[in-house]
Amino acid sequence: MLGAVFALVFSACAPESDPASGSEPAAFSEPGSANAEVFDDSSRSPELEFGLGDTFPSAPIVPDAADPSVPIADSVSQFTSVQGMHGWYYGYLEPDNANIFTEAQVYVSGGADPGWYALPDARTWTFMDATTMHPNGESTTEGRAPLEQWAARRWVSNVEGNVRIAGDLAKYYADGNSSGVAGYVFVDGVMVWAWYLEGWDEAGISFDKVVPVLIGSTVDFVLDPWESDDRSDRSMFTSQIYLSE
């Protein structure tokens, strides 16, 4: 079903050529790299837990329900090493597995690329930090497992009514030989926004959608390795959510 939807949405902008083989830029590090502290999250429940070296890139925002110009959720300022804090969860979707959201298992603190990694031991490229995301494809590099994992950042709503979802999507690694990426926004499993980016597109696109949510609704920001090829797919994908009329 999803495959048919994506084919309809993106058929007009699918890449015409196959990307050349290659590897990720060396700057993208692996879990367990020098000076990195690794937290294996695989045995934890989704309930909030503290004491795992929570990180805040900047002071977390304090939502003001009386001011619609102040976001009630922000993927950058509210990014932490704790699953569920501020309503944010970090993980991935497997399109061949009923599109189920799975929480990332490992948080790396320090090193060149601190953030959430889907699996231990650098088995896939799937990763996210406060501003970027990286999926994994069946066509992959540097010994990663050939699995299709769409990097996914999930916010669980604590409000009911209309919300405005805004943000930006752009390539972090510009590579003309990359097959590109697709970015999606799902609300309760329904796609409300989608965009295909060429592999070289560092300028990217901004999005702004008003949608209804319930308390407990899920809003997923998802990065797809287009054509299941993850070469140079690290991309900027940030989002803010506001109350709306």
Side-chain angles (χ1 to χ4, degrees), residues 221-235:
F221 302 90
V222 180
L223 192 68
D224 166 6
W226 191 255
E227 297 183 329
S228 201
D229 189 321
D230 63 26
R231 174 185 171 130
S232 300
D233 275 358
R234 190 173 184 179
S235 302

Side-chain angles (χ1 to χ4, degrees), residues 61-74 164 166 240-244:
I61 61 172
V62 178
D64 181 356
D67 185 351
S69 68
V70 177
I72 59 172
D74 187 305
R164 183 167 67 89
Q240 299 79 41
I241 300 173
Y242 305 82
L243 292 177
S244 181

Side-chain angles (χ1 to χ4, degrees), residues 166-170 205-207 236-240:
D168 298 283
L169 172 67
I205 187 75
S206 296
F207 56 91
M236 304 282 293
F237 200 170
T238 59
S239 53
Q240 299 79 41

